[in-house]
């Protein structure tokens, strides 16, 4: 049992298989409305007994993508 992963503040974590925390289990992190995920959204239990990624955090605000527009007059 690997354990040790909690949902980030303002978000949630789900495990596949559901409720499992052993080798091969994946943990998927998501954030609620008005938050964005800072870090990797998925981590997996590896053969060494570690999670493959550091748990992410949910930060207030919305992730904004930059879009370039071309204006013609």
């Amino acid at each position: 049992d690997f354990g040790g992963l909690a949902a980030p503040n303002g978000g949630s974590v789900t495990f596949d298989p559901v409720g499992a925390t052993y080798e091969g289990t994946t943990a998927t992190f998501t954030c609620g409305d008005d938050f964005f995920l800072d870090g990797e959204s998925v981590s997996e239990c590896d053969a060494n007994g570690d999670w493959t990624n550091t748990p992410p955090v949910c930060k207030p605000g919305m992730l904004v993508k930059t879009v370039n527009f071309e204006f013609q007059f």
Side-chain angles (χ1 to χ4, degrees):
D1 184 349
F2 291 44
L5 286 182
N9 288 336
S12 62
V13 60
T14 55
F15 297 95
D16 185 22
V18 174
T21 53
Y22 49 78
E23 184 179 352
T25 298
T26 57
T28 303
F29 299 89
T30 56
C31 293
D33 294 342
D34 299 326
F35 289 87
F36 69 93
L37 194 69
D38 184 11
E40 297 293 328
S41 63
V42 177
S43 191
E44 184 176 335
C45 291
D46 67 19
N48 295 321
D50 298 313
W51 290 99
T52 55
N53 293 308
T54 302
V57 296
C58 292
K59 293 188 175 180
M62 296 173 57
L63 185 60
V64 178
K65 293 183 179 180
T66 303
V67 178
N68 293 323
F69 291 97
E70 245 181 72
F71 294 96
Q72 294 181 352
F73 296 94

